[in-house]
Amino acid sequence: MESNLSVRETLTTEYVGVSESDSVLGAVRLMRHERAGCVLVVRGSEAVGIMTEWDVLGLVEEEADPATTTVGDVMSSPVLSIEADRSVTDAADMMARENIRNLVVEDEDDVLGVLTQRDVIAVTGSFQGAANATGEPVSSGPAAEPEGEVGQTLLTNGNGNDEFSTQGVCEACGSLTDSLQDANGQLVCPDCRRL
């Protein structure tokens, strides 16, 4: 992964903002129009929450009416943020550690946008330990060596030491995780293994 690349350089889009009082249906229409996987819930210039595709799926599962349910009822809060001058590696590590796919990018007191898992993948090519459609680990570059345990990729770190990584993108839900394991021929996160 490009450790010198900053979050500011990686950020490709500004955020799509909504209010806590907006309906989920209105926010979903905006998400589709803007081709966004999430909307940032703002109060003035402060980010107070985020509504993602997963939050909407939870609403569907509960059979609630998106036209009468407010964004404030389903949003995730508080939002996790990262400073714009931090590295992409730091952002990917935070996403994996917190099991999230979006980070709010801030510069001093301003919200610059939302860094998505897709943004990180686009600039880095992949995550270490990510798998292709056949479930085989994908190398992160020419230093990749033979596989270790299922879902792990053996990497040579340049010092002659071998490291294993299980960090990557779940093939079932697409979330970034630091704990991929094989389940029915797919590398999946702990949540998807329970299904």
Side-chain angles (χ1 to χ4, degrees):
M1 193 175 301
E2 291 286 335
S3 59
N4 295 334
L5 197 59
S6 75
V7 168
R8 181 186 314 276
E9 295 169 304
T10 307
L11 188 64
T12 58
T13 58
E14 292 189 12
Y15 65 90
V16 178
V18 296
S19 166
E20 295 165 272
S21 60
D22 289 342
S23 73
V24 171
L25 180 60
V28 167
R29 286 180 175 149
L30 183 60
M31 287 168 68
R32 287 186 49 82
H33 181 264
E34 298 294 329
R35 301 186 56 81
C38 67
V39 289
L40 194 57
V41 185
V42 292
R43 191 180 301 143
S45 62
E46 179 186 0
V48 295
I50 191 167
M51 186 182 83
T52 68
E53 298 156 326
W54 282 102
D55 297 318
V56 175
L57 287 173
L59 183 71
V60 171
E61 179 183 41
E62 294 170 4
E63 298 180 11
D65 182 3
T68 60
T69 304
T70 66
V71 169
D73 292 333
V74 299
M75 70 181 189
S76 300
S77 181
V79 293
L80 295 178
S81 63
I82 191 165
E83 297 83 20
D85 59 349
R86 297 273 301 273
S87 73
V88 174
T89 302
D90 289 344
D93 288 345
M94 183 184 291
M95 287 176 170
R97 185 175 56 252
E98 299 296 331
N99 196 25
I100 58 173
R101 294 186 291 167
N102 305 285
L103 284 171
V104 175
V105 180
E106 295 180 325
D107 187 10
E108 297 178 21
D109 293 329
D110 295 326
V111 173
L112 299 179
V114 176
L115 181 72
T116 68
Q117 185 180 51
R118 287 184 177 134
D119 292 334
V120 176
I121 291 170
V123 299
T124 61
S126 68
F127 285 104
Q128 292 179 347
N132 64 19
T134 65
E136 297 173 36
V138 175
S139 73
S140 60
E145 298 292 334
E147 271 187 65
E149 295 178 20
V150 172
Q152 293 183 329
T153 302
L154 177 62
L155 303 169
T156 303
N157 65 10
N159 298 330
N161 300 328
D162 293 333
E163 298 175 357
F164 285 96
S165 174
T166 58
Q167 180 182 21
V169 178
C170 174
E171 291 182 13
C173 69
S175 67
L176 176 63
T177 181
D178 58 358
S179 178
L180 287 172
Q181 288 186 354
D182 182 72
N184 298 323
Q186 288 187 312
L187 292 176
V188 296
C189 67
D191 292 335
C192 291
R193 286 193 299 269
R194 288 186 221 132
L195 298 178

